[in-house]
Amino acid sequence: MSLPIALVIEAGVIALAVLLLFAVRRVASGPLLREPTRGTPMIMMVSTAFAVLLAFITIAAFQTYNGAKGGARSEAVATLEMFRTAALFPAADRDTLRADFACYGRSVASLEWVTMRDGRRSPVTEGWISAYRDRFTQLGLGSPREQLGFQELLTEARNRTDGRRERLTEATPSVPLALWIVLVLGGSVAIGLQLSMADRRERRVIQAALIAGVAAIVTAGLLLVYFLDHPYQQHLGSIKPAEMRQTLAMMNQQSPGLHLPCDQSGRPAG
């Protein structure tokens, strides 16, 4: 969901709430709640319950967002360290490993970041993982330098796997449908209770401002939960593959003439 769509939803809910207020004022001959003090406890209970639930789910959604960002960062750092560790091997093995690592990074930044929006992995990225793992089995470990390099590669490969797993896990929304139903229902009830305060004796502008404020806060809270629970969607504040792109730039600086068996998006070259 993009920012313009979010703004349209926000404005639409506010406009609908204000129009409902004007409709109630026009139809009702008097205030719906003739004794406001009787409805105050109910309004406070609903408002407090909705606020507490919204805060709890927002924190949970923020953990999803933060986990996705942390996983992407760990993956990028581990990929760069694998690229650097490859320098401990002979030139042929070094360049072959580095080429696989660079193509893996390209496929993550260009292809898998798109498939994650649907909660899917990229088969191209999986292919590069299989490729460099096959290289591992072909490495010669005749010297202590190569043995140390291989141990480092295995450690960083494990870190890369953990980071990617966390990134992919957080691509799936963590807020279930049942909670969304409760949130929307709670917000609707909170706005509806404000309609019960409609009174022709009050100025339209004042009552419209009050219900517009409630509608704005409720809608903004729901949109915030959605944004945090979908960290890779195309919206303001979404997580971009910035760390992996920075890793690719550093790889290019360290090995500017390295021949890569893939295009800019990470797909294997024909």
Side-chain angles (χ1 to χ4, degrees):
M1 183 187 300
S2 62
L3 179 60
I5 295 178
L7 293 176
V8 169
I9 294 175
E10 181 86 10
V13 174
I14 293 174
L16 179 60
V18 173
L19 289 176
L20 287 174
L21 173 68
F22 290 162
V24 171
R25 284 173 57 97
R26 183 169 184 175
V27 173
S29 57
L32 297 179
L33 196 61
R34 298 184 181 278
E35 298 181 21
T37 55
R38 294 179 57 186
T40 300
M42 176 61 69
I43 294 175
M44 292 182 61
M45 183 193 73
V46 171
S47 301
T48 302
F50 175 75
V52 170
L53 181 61
L54 180 61
F56 174 78
I57 297 179
T58 300
I59 293 174
F62 179 75
Q63 291 176 346
T64 296
Y65 181 90
N66 200 38
K69 197 169 185 177
R73 184 184 303 112
S74 299
E75 178 189 26
V77 171
T79 303
L80 180 60
E81 290 303 316
M82 292 169 67
F83 186 88
R84 290 171 172 169
T85 303
L88 297 176
F89 296 91
D93 291 336
R94 177 199 64 199
D95 291 346
T96 301
L97 286 171
R98 284 185 167 181
D100 288 344
F101 298 152
C103 289
Y104 168 82
R106 286 184 175 184
S107 69
V108 168
S110 299
L111 300 178
E112 194 160 63
W113 223 264
V114 176
T115 60
M116 278 196 308
R117 295 169 188 168
D118 299 325
R120 297 183 293 107
R121 301 170 180 240
S122 169
V124 176
T125 302
E126 295 285 348
W128 290 118
I129 295 175
S130 298
Y132 81 67
R133 285 179 175 172
D134 290 340
R135 308 288 185 196
F136 285 180
T137 63
Q138 301 171 11
L139 293 174
L141 305 178
S143 67
R145 174 189 174 97
E146 293 172 349
Q147 294 173 10
L148 176 61
F150 187 66
Q151 292 177 359
E152 289 294 327
L153 280 179
L154 292 179
T155 300
E156 295 302 333
R158 188 180 306 111
N159 294 336
R160 183 213 59 78
T161 299
D162 292 341
R164 179 173 182 254
R165 182 184 298 114
E166 185 174 13
R167 169 173 62 78
L168 292 172
T169 298
E170 303 302 350
T172 303
S174 60
V175 179
L177 178 60
L179 282 180
W180 277 111
I181 293 175
V182 173
L183 277 176
V184 173
L185 178 62
S188 300
V189 172
I191 297 174
L193 288 175
Q194 292 297 317
L195 291 175
S196 68
M197 306 294 291
D199 189 349
R200 287 185 176 182
R201 295 174 298 179
E202 295 285 344
R203 295 179 59 186
R204 285 188 176 185
V205 176
I206 299 300
Q207 288 197 331
L210 291 175
I211 198 167
V214 173
I217 293 299
V218 168
T219 307
L222 295 178
L223 289 174
L224 176 61
V225 172
Y226 180 86
F227 289 157
L228 293 175
D229 200 40
H230 296 76
Y232 302 114
Q233 297 294 331
Q234 292 181 317
H235 56 69
L236 182 65
S238 63
I239 300 176
K240 308 295 183 183
E243 288 83 2
M244 187 59 76
R245 287 171 179 166
Q246 185 177 6
T247 289
L248 291 171
M250 297 179 70
M251 288 178 177
N252 187 53
Q253 291 177 358
Q254 293 185 21
S255 298
L258 182 64
H259 173 72
L260 300 183
C262 62
D263 58 18
Q264 290 296 324
S265 65
R267 291 186 175 88

